[in-house]
Amino acid sequence: GDMLRQAVSAESVSDEIAPHISTIKNCMEDGKLIPDDIVVRLVLDRLRSPDCQKQGWILDGFPRTSNQAVALQNAGIHPNVFLFLSVPDDVAIKRVVGRRQDSLTGKVYHLDWNPPPNDEIAQRLVTRSDDTIESMKQRLKQFRENANAVKGCYNNTVEIDGLGTPEEVLWDIDTSLKRVAQESIEYE
């Protein structure tokens, strides 16, 4: 999502992506998936960048379709683990529609769970155009249609209960990643 928002707001983008900016923007506002060929090109370009090659990477919200997962595999990109955070739709909607971003710093707040610390920051908060109930319902519908197919592309899927506090979910993720790393070492 951040990569797509950055592409839409960038003053200069690659010649390959420039013709697709309006498509990306319209899809995002309507809560629809970006066409696979466009998003795959953006992600692969990013994964080939020197910092990703040196430090590694985490893909958040990608792949979203089996075609995207296959495109990663065909490009020689094989994630060590595929984390799947499980959250009921009503909770996901509440999390998204309460989200606000500080227009000055980019820091993300939530009106219920992580409100801004003062009125000055509160006045700068903006809502992303795709953080609406309608858009989120559409995104969840598409997610549900594709989730099992994407999970089926990986044999290293770990499902995480996303209902806890951020600290609890992070602990579950960390514990799961350590377990997967240990199993990988034992397997070798």
Side-chain angles (χ1 to χ4, degrees):
D2 288 341
M3 188 182 322
L4 295 169
R5 282 184 289 281
Q6 183 180 14
V8 167
S9 66
E11 291 181 19
S12 64
V13 294
S14 73
D15 292 340
E16 291 181 20
I17 297 301
H20 305 291
I21 295 300
S22 63
T23 300
I24 294 171
K25 186 174 183 177
N26 291 337
C27 287
M28 288 173 65
E29 288 175 355
D30 294 341
K32 296 180 179 174
L33 291 177
I34 310 302
D36 288 340
D37 62 323
I38 298 172
V39 74
V40 166
R41 190 175 310 135
L42 279 170
V43 170
L44 290 177
D45 285 350
R46 181 69 181 104
L47 293 178
R48 290 181 181 122
S49 66
D51 62 327
C52 288
Q53 293 294 310
K54 181 179 178 186
Q55 299 172 344
W57 42 267
I58 295 174
L59 298 176
D60 178 9
F62 185 87
R64 292 193 180 195
T65 68
S66 59
N67 287 340
Q68 292 173 359
V70 169
L72 278 181
Q73 292 168 353
N74 290 342
I77 308 281
H78 304 283
N80 295 342
V81 65
F82 183 86
L83 295 176
F84 184 86
L85 282 107
S86 181
V87 179
D89 289 359
D90 61 323
V91 174
I93 290 170
K94 185 170 183 170
R95 287 179 179 177
V96 167
V97 298
R99 180 170 55 188
R100 300 293 185 273
Q101 188 169 20
D102 185 330
S103 60
L104 182 64
T105 66
K107 182 170 178 167
V108 176
Y109 294 93
H110 192 280
L111 298 178
D112 295 326
W113 303 302
N114 182 28
N118 58 53
D119 288 339
E120 178 185 345
I121 294 173
Q123 292 174 7
R124 296 192 309 247
L125 297 182
V126 294
T127 304
R128 291 183 1 201
S129 63
D130 58 337
D131 279 356
T132 65
I133 292 173
E134 297 78 24
S135 178
M136 190 60 186
K137 284 182 178 178
Q138 178 65 28
R139 289 179 0 218
L140 286 167
K141 178 180 179 284
Q142 291 180 334
F143 171 78
R144 298 286 175 230
E145 290 171 357
N146 291 290
N148 287 332
V150 172
K151 284 196 277 186
C153 292
Y154 299 99
N155 59 6
N156 54 351
T157 301
V158 176
E159 190 152 343
I160 304 287
D161 181 357
L163 281 180
T165 65
E167 294 79 16
E168 291 167 336
V169 174
L170 177 61
W171 187 88
D172 286 346
I173 291 170
D174 186 53
T175 301
S176 295
L177 290 175
K178 287 176 180 171
R179 187 184 75 246
V180 167
Q182 183 62 39
E183 290 170 359
S184 175
I185 291 170
E186 291 171 3
Y187 180 73
E188 293 176 357

